Amino acid sequence: MRARLRQIHIDGHTFMWRAALHSVQINGFYRRAVYVRAWGSGGKSSQKLEADLLSAPGPYVVDNGYPTPADVREVIICGLKSGWQPEQRGGTFVLSDREHGANFAASGFQLTNPVRPGESADSTTHEAQQRG
C-alpha cells in the first residue's frame, strides 16, 4: 500500500509529508509509533526530514495514533530550528530524541530515536522523565 503525500503550508512555504503507523515494544509493552517524513516544495528530490514519534503514554491519554496537521507542523518547525534544509537537494535530516527531543512540542506524541518495525524503542530519556 502506498502512502499518500499531503501538503502543509507554514510561513509561506509549502511542505510535503506522509506518515506511516507501526507499533514498537518498550519495556515489554507495545506503543503506537508514527514515522513522519517531510520534504520541501521540491518534493522528494529535496532533503528529507525523518521523525519517529511515539504516542504519549499515560492512563488518561487516548491513543488515536495518527498525527494531525498541527503535529506535523511541530515536526517541521522542530526540524527547521534544528538545521533541516528543505531547499537542499537530496540527503536526509533525522530528528532524534537524543539530539532534538527538548525542542519538540507536539501534544499526544513524543520524539523518539529512530525505530524500525519489530525493534524495541529506546525509551531511556522519556520513560525516566515520566518517573522523575
Side-chain angles (χ1 to χ4, degrees), residues 117-130:
E119 294 180 354
S120 292
D122 176 6
S123 62
T124 55
T125 300
H126 284 289
E127 298 297 321
Q129 286 176 351
Q130 289 164 3

Side-chain angles (χ1 to χ4, degrees), residues 7 13 29 32 69 76-77 98 103 107 121 129:
Q7 287 188 357
H13 299 281
F29 296 97
R32 178 77 51 135
I76 291 172
I77 288 171
R98 271 184 215 105
N103 299 324
S107 63
Q129 286 176 351

Side-chain angles (χ1 to χ4, degrees), residues 28-40:
F29 296 97
Y30 284 93
R31 298 239 320 261
R32 178 77 51 135
V34 182
Y35 303 149
V36 177
R37 305 300 181 248
W39 298 265

Side-chain angles (χ1 to χ4, degrees), residues 7-86:
Q7 287 188 357
I8 190 168
H9 304 282
I10 301 172
D11 295 332
H13 299 281
T14 301
F15 299 91
M16 310 291 283
W17 68 277
R18 68 177 173 157
L21 301 176
H22 299 282
S23 61
V24 294
Q25 190 173 17
I26 300 175
N27 300 330
F29 296 97
Y30 284 93
R31 298 239 320 261
R32 178 77 51 135
V34 182
Y35 303 149
V36 177
R37 305 300 181 248
W39 298 265
S41 59
K44 289 190 173 184
S45 64
S46 66
Q47 186 179 56
K48 177 173 55 171
L49 175 66
E50 290 188 0
D52 294 354
L53 308 177
L54 290 177
S55 59
Y60 305 108
V61 175
V62 176
D63 183 4
N64 61 10
Y66 202 78
T68 66
D71 298 322
V72 174
R73 177 180 304 277
E74 291 302 323
V75 168
I76 291 172
I77 288 171
C78 182
L80 292 169
K81 287 180 177 179
S82 299
W84 175 46
Q85 299 177 351

